[in-house]
Amino acid sequence: MTLDNHSLDYFNGTPWFVYECTIQLDPSYRRITLFLLYLFVFMVGLLENMLVVWVNWRRRHSANGVLFCIINVSLSDLMVIVLLPFFMLEVTMDKVWLWGRFLCKVTKLIYAVNFYSSSFFLAFMTLERYLSLTRPSSQTFFPVVGRRRWLVCGGLWAFSFFLALIENVHVDLLEWDEPGCYMVPQHNFTEWFVTVASFCIIFQFLGPASVIITCNVLIAKAVKCSPDVQGRRDVWLVHVYSLVFVMCWLPYQMVMFLLLIDDIDPFLMTCNTVEVLYFSVSVVEGLSFLHCVANPILYNFLSKSFRDNMINAVVGCIPQEETVVQRENQPSAPNESRGEPGKQRKLSNGSTSQSDVGS
C-alpha cells in the first residue's frame, strides 16, 4: 500500500538513507511465514465461515438483529478468504502478479471492502446487543422484519465500498522487472497516503473499537447487576470480544500510523526504523487475517444456541430412514426426563453470548 518517498531527498546525488541504513532483513522468512499463515486462514476460516452462514441462514427469518449482523460478518470474512490463494502465490513469487490488470483491481477492492465492513458489522452487532439487553422494549437498529434492516445493512456495505474505492482508484498493474499489483498514485503521494491512512485508522479501527469496547464494558456491567442472570461465568467472554478485536488490528494500525508519521516528517525516524516498518507491514497485515478465524469461534461456536442449531441442521440432512433405525435401536428410558424447568438454562436478556439472543 505504501512506497518510500525518501528518494526525493538527495545528498551529492545519492539518496540520503543509503548512508544510514545498516540493517539487513531476509525477506525469505517473511514469505514462508505469510504463505503458511494464509494457508491456515484459508483452510480453517473457509470451513468455519461457510458453516456459520449455512446454520444461521436457515433461521434468518426468526432471528433478531444480532444474528443478522453475524451473517454479514461471516459473509464479509468469506469475501477475503476466497482471495487468499491469489495472495499466497503473490507472496511466494515475491510480489509478482500473474492474473492481469482486471483481477489486480478487483481483488484489492474486495479485500478493502472486507477491511472496513467486517469492523462495521462487529461494531453494530455489539451496539445492537447492548440495546437488546438494556432496552428490550425499544426498537433496535436491525428489526426482525421490515425494510429498515436491509437499508441499514446496505448502507454499511455502501460506505465500506466508498472507503475502499478511495484506495482502489490508484491500484494498477505496474510493469517493472516483473508485473506487480500496487497502489501507487501518480501525483501527490504524501497527501494521498496521509488521507487514506487517516481514514483507515479512524473508520476501520478507532471508531469500531470505541463502540465495541464501550458497549462490551456496559454489557458486562449490566450483566453483573442483573439479578436473574444464570450465566455469570460467561461474563468474561464480553471482554474477550474486545481483546481479540484489538489484538488482530492494533499491530497493523500502529505500523500504519508510524508510516504516516514518516511520510509527514521523513527525517524524524532513522533509516533502520523505517526499513523495519516497511518490512513488517505485510506481516502485521497477514496477522490481521486471523480475525476471519477468531470471529466464528467467538460469536458462534462458543454459543450453546448455535451449537444446538448446528446439530439440528446436520441431523436434518441425514436421511429419515437412518434416523428412524437409530431411534429404534436406542433403549427406551421412560423415567428419564429432560431436566427440571427450573434447572434449564434460560436465554435471558442477560446472556452474554451473541448468538443466544432471539434464538
Side-chain angles (χ1 to χ4, degrees):
M1 178 179 172
T2 60
L3 286 179
D4 192 0
N5 66 337
H6 288 158
S7 57
L8 300 177
D9 303 288
Y10 289 86
F11 181 77
N12 291 333
T14 305
W16 69 272
F17 55 82
V18 171
Y19 295 105
E20 297 186 9
C21 284
T22 58
I23 191 171
Q24 297 293 330
L25 300 173
D26 188 358
S28 60
Y29 295 105
R30 180 180 58 183
R31 292 200 298 268
I32 296 174
T33 301
L34 287 177
F35 177 83
L36 295 177
L37 179 61
Y38 291 163
L39 182 62
F40 169 77
V41 174
F42 177 76
M43 295 175 60
V44 179
L46 183 64
L47 178 62
E48 287 181 345
N49 286 278
M50 289 183 64
L51 186 60
V52 167
V53 172
W54 176 60
V55 174
N56 289 329
W57 188 256
R58 293 168 61 93
R59 53 176 179 151
R60 65 190 182 278
H61 298 296
S62 60
N64 67 348
V66 173
L67 190 60
F68 191 74
C69 289
I70 291 177
I71 295 175
N72 279 275
V73 170
S74 296
L75 290 174
S76 178
D77 291 343
L78 277 174
M79 288 170 55
V80 72
I81 288 174
V82 297
L83 301 178
L84 287 180
F86 293 97
F87 299 155
M88 283 189 284
L89 190 56
E90 184 184 22
V91 167
T92 304
M93 302 184 66
D94 196 15
K95 299 183 180 180
V96 176
W97 188 263
L98 302 176
W99 298 281
R101 183 173 182 270
F102 175 76
L103 284 180
C104 167
K105 296 184 72 69
V106 169
T107 53
K108 299 295 185 181
L109 178 62
I110 294 176
Y111 165 71
V113 171
N114 160 268
F115 186 78
Y116 291 102
S117 62
S118 179
S119 298
F120 289 163
F121 279 107
L122 281 178
F124 268 87
M125 177 175 62
T126 310
L127 179 61
E128 181 82 7
R129 177 60 177 157
Y130 168 71
L131 293 177
S132 67
L133 287 173
T134 58
R135 303 174 184 176
S137 59
S138 63
Q139 190 176 16
T140 56
F141 282 102
F142 290 107
V144 176
V145 293
R147 189 177 300 176
R148 183 181 176 185
R149 164 194 281 187
W150 299 101
L151 289 176
V152 176
C153 175
L156 290 178
W157 282 110
F159 188 50
S160 302
F161 180 81
F162 169 75
L163 293 174
L165 201 60
I166 296 177
E167 301 181 21
N168 197 256
V169 167
H170 296 294
V171 172
D172 208 343
L173 184 68
L174 302 181
E175 296 282 353
W176 291 334
D177 294 336
E178 297 286 350
C181 186
Y182 301 100
M183 283 189 284
V184 184
Q186 296 181 356
H187 307 286
N188 301 324
F189 171 83
T190 300
E191 292 79 2
W192 172 83
F193 175 72
V194 170
T195 302
V196 170
S198 300
F199 283 172
C200 169
I201 294 172
I202 294 173
F203 291 108
Q204 193 278 331
F205 184 69
L206 291 181
S210 300
V211 175
I212 291 173
I213 295 174
T214 302
C215 289
N216 281 335
V217 170
L218 295 176
I219 288 172
K221 183 178 180 180
V223 169
K224 290 180 180 179
C225 298
S226 179
D228 59 343
V229 174
Q230 300 179 14
R232 291 181 182 274
R233 65 181 182 275
D234 295 333
V235 176
W236 64 271
L237 277 177
V238 176
H239 303 295
V240 174
Y241 297 148
S242 303
L243 180 63
V244 171
F245 181 85
V246 172
M247 289 178 61
C248 286
W249 291 110
L250 182 60
Y252 175 77
Q253 297 293 349
M254 285 296 297
V255 172
M256 293 300 298
F257 177 75
L258 292 175
L259 290 176
L260 184 151
I261 297 299
D262 177 66
D263 269 31
I264 295 176
D265 188 354
F267 299 98
L268 185 63
M269 290 182 257
T270 64
C271 179
N272 287 341
T273 302
V274 175
E275 188 73 12
V276 171
L277 289 176
Y278 277 94
F279 181 85
S280 61
V281 65
S282 58
V283 177
V284 292
E285 184 178 18
L287 291 174
S288 68
F289 284 129
L290 290 175
H291 77 274
C292 298
V293 177
N295 288 338
I297 296 175
L298 289 176
Y299 300 105
N300 295 274
F301 294 110
L302 292 180
S303 165
K304 185 179 183 300
S305 171
F306 177 83
R307 294 196 301 269
D308 292 342
N309 280 276
M310 181 176 63
I311 294 174
N312 293 334
V314 173
V315 172
C317 295
I318 301 176
Q320 189 173 2
E321 296 180 357
E322 296 182 8
T323 58
V324 172
V325 173
Q326 292 176 358
R327 291 177 181 177
E328 291 178 352
N329 293 334
Q330 290 180 353
S332 60
N335 296 328
E336 183 179 348
S337 64
R338 294 185 178 180
E340 300 178 7
K343 293 184 179 180
Q344 293 179 0
R345 184 186 177 191
K346 297 180 181 179
L347 299 179
S348 65
N349 287 336
S351 176
T352 60
S353 178
Q354 301 283 358
S355 296
D356 284 345
V357 184
S359 301

